Amino acid sequence: MEREEHFSKDGFPLLLGLPVDICIFTVTTEKREVDENEIIDKRSLRSLPKRFLEILLVKRLNDPFYQQWALPGGYTKVESESLEKAAKRELKEETNLDAVVTGELDQSNSGVYIEQMKAYYRPDRDPRGYTPTVAYVALVNEKYLQTLRAGGDAGEVKLFRLQLTKDNTLRFESEDETVTVNETELAFDHADIIHDSLKHIQSMILTTTIAKTLLSEEFTIAELHQVISTIAPNLLMSTSNFTRDIVKTKTRDRMLEEVKNSDGTPKKSNQYSARPAQLYRFSESYEPKLSIYPRL
């Protein structure tokens, strides 16, 4: 959307709409291909499916930054929209995703709950002139991203696997490995926004129970550990230590509850292990008061 020049009766410049940008992260699952001659230790994480942290980007159809990859977003309709409404509308127009803003009473079944993170402004972030933006962020289950479709002023919409190199720069690679983008190739200051958003979801995954949105209702501790490690790779601890601290530490003993069969016996799964592993679910009543994933 192109901006118009507009001034008040007193000659003061008026901003016709404030931009919003939306960071949508997910953890995708890929079935692990096993060589028929390879011996897999069923007790290790190697038997779990591969998981990747991915982010949704769109290819711009307009100047500036024509044909460059960017975050979905756009301008509010100044006469009729709040920032939240604009974020939801732009996300729908450019990617076909329906979203609910965290805290809204109208809770849809979309599973895409976006929350406002922070505002950005520096004089050179937009070559057209003064253009602050407000960033929204979401961490969603991959099942809600099956209906992606580009629209509006987005020519393409695609999920990219997110990699942070040793020098702390971002690299994006499409799932089919046909498109690779470095952070310097993104539009505007979207690399900065993604850096901040990544820190935000890493904090969320370590201090809240948002991991439940990425897992089945029932899961093993190994699956939980893998999801957390995919988003926060600095969580350097073994699955056994993770299990001990999560299940047996008093400050966290109410976070998870064991799943039971109808006869009251522990419900277990051997999908990813030689020995059946106990299934858990997140407790509905637990509210974390400190980091729930120790030893970061």
Side-chain angles (χ1 to χ4, degrees), residues 141-165:
N141 192 296
E142 61 181 317
K143 68 183 179 182
Y144 296 114
L145 304 179
Q146 303 303 310
T147 59
L148 293 177
R149 184 177 66 248
D153 56 3
E156 292 183 53
V157 57
K158 191 182 290 287
L159 283 171
F160 286 84
R161 290 177 180 173
L162 189 58
Q163 301 169 357
L164 194 63
T165 64

Side-chain angles (χ1 to χ4, degrees), residues 51-237:
R51 297 187 194 267
F52 301 92
L53 178 61
E54 301 197 357
I55 188 169
L56 186 152
L57 298 176
V58 299
K59 182 175 280 189
R60 289 176 57 80
L61 285 179
N62 297 330
D63 287 325
F65 304 106
Y66 173 69
Q67 290 291 296
Q68 288 184 238
W69 291 94
L71 295 170
Y75 285 87
T76 57
K77 295 178 179 178
V78 72
E79 300 295 334
S80 60
E81 281 188 326
S82 64
L83 288 169
E84 288 77 15
K85 287 182 179 179
K88 292 192 293 182
R89 175 182 54 78
E90 288 288 347
L91 193 61
K92 179 65 174 179
E93 288 177 359
E94 295 190 352
T95 69
N96 196 42
L97 289 179
D98 294 303
V100 170
V101 177
T102 302
E104 283 188 340
L105 294 177
D106 178 22
Q107 298 290 300
S108 75
N109 294 318
S110 70
V112 182
Y113 299 96
I114 59 176
E115 66 171 292
Q116 189 179 120
M117 186 179 67
K118 62 181 289 188
Y120 290 82
Y121 169 67
R122 67 170 189 246
D124 61 347
R125 71 170 304 274
D126 189 329
R128 294 168 294 187
Y130 177 84
T131 314
T133 190
V134 177
Y136 285 78
V137 65
L139 181 60
V140 305
N141 192 296
E142 61 181 317
K143 68 183 179 182
Y144 296 114
L145 304 179
Q146 303 303 310
T147 59
L148 293 177
R149 184 177 66 248
D153 56 3
E156 292 183 53
V157 57
K158 191 182 290 287
L159 283 171
F160 286 84
R161 290 177 180 173
L162 189 58
Q163 301 169 357
L164 194 63
T165 64
K166 291 182 179 179
D167 61 353
N168 203 40
T169 59
L170 294 167
R171 186 171 179 272
F172 309 84
E173 187 173 275
S174 61
E175 212 170 297
D176 56 9
E177 301 181 350
T178 59
V179 182
T180 301
V181 183
N182 295 318
E183 67 173 55
T184 55
E185 300 171 309
L186 294 179
F188 304 103
D189 57 351
H190 287 184
D192 293 337
I193 296 175
I194 295 172
H195 271 287
D196 290 345
S197 298
L198 181 58
K199 292 177 183 177
H200 184 78
I201 65 165
Q202 288 174 337
S203 175
M204 290 174 65
I205 206 74
L206 294 170
T207 58
T208 75
T209 56
I210 196 173
K212 69 174 69 174
T213 65
L214 304 173
L215 292 160
S216 301
E217 182 181 356
E218 300 174 0
F219 52 84
T220 65
I221 296 296
E223 290 175 283
L224 174 61
H225 178 261
Q226 189 191 37
V227 164
I228 302 304
S229 300
T230 300
I231 295 171
N234 289 331
L235 186 73
L236 301 176
M237 63 188 306

Side-chain angles (χ1 to χ4, degrees), residues 221 242-249 252-253 256 258 280:
I221 296 296
F242 182 85
T243 302
R244 183 193 64 214
D245 287 347
I246 289 299
V247 176
K248 298 181 180 180
T249 303
R252 304 177 186 90
D253 62 2
L256 301 179
E258 293 185 354
Y280 291 85

